[in-house]
Amino acid sequence: QVVPVESGGGLVQAGGSLRLSCAVSGRGFSANVAGWYRQAPGKQRELVATITSGGPTTYAGSVKGRFTISRDNAKNTVYLQMNSLKPEDTAVYYCNQGPIRTILRGDFGSWGQGTQVTVSS
């Protein structure tokens, strides 16, 4: 199974920015939808942003206008640029890729280790 590798998290003050990266090995990446998720302590994992193979994107209402998802198919990598960070953005961030139905359900057989984002007030 393909396991994504997330990186780029850290500790940042409110209002700051971070750029997350997700490397996905194996074939088929360029044809799949990619998504970023996050899971805060005591909460369920939620879908934050998606990007199709052709580039159209969607965002959760809580991050729209602040986060930008992008992808580099040549590098099998997905990015999440996070600006104007808030304490409520604190969570472990994960990525994955697959068909749109799987992305929306978050029903993957394997997840990466995620990357911790902590926003201090």
Side-chain angles (χ1 to χ4, degrees):
Q1 287 183 328
V2 175
V3 178
V5 179
E6 302 92 346
S7 61
L11 173 63
V12 64
Q13 288 188 332
S17 299
L18 284 173
R19 188 192 193 208
L20 307 184
S21 298
C22 173
V24 183
S25 60
R27 297 182 177 181
F29 172 79
S30 62
N32 281 330
V33 179
W36 278 98
Y37 302 77
R38 67 185 180 187
Q39 187 168 20
K43 295 187 177 181
Q44 288 189 333
R45 185 175 290 155
E46 64 169 335
L47 180 61
V48 172
T50 70
I51 184 167
T52 67
S53 58
T57 58
T58 65
Y59 297 93
S62 59
V63 306
K64 201 167 187 178
R66 300 188 297 122
F67 290 10
T68 302
I69 187 172
S70 60
R71 64 192 294 164
D72 185 336
N73 289 335
K75 296 181 178 180
N76 276 24
T77 301
V78 187
Y79 304 97
L80 187 68
Q81 177 67 44
M82 306 187 297
N83 298 329
S84 302
L85 283 162
K86 304 176 181 179
E88 51 263 44
D89 294 319
T90 295
V92 179
Y93 284 71
Y94 303 87
C95 73
N96 229 315
Q97 56 97 17
I100 184 60
R101 289 184 179 179
T102 307
I103 288 284
L104 293 176
R105 292 197 303 253
D107 186 19
F108 292 96
S110 62
W111 292 87
Q113 82 287 352
T115 186
Q116 175 71 48
V117 171
T118 303
V119 185
S120 63
S121 57

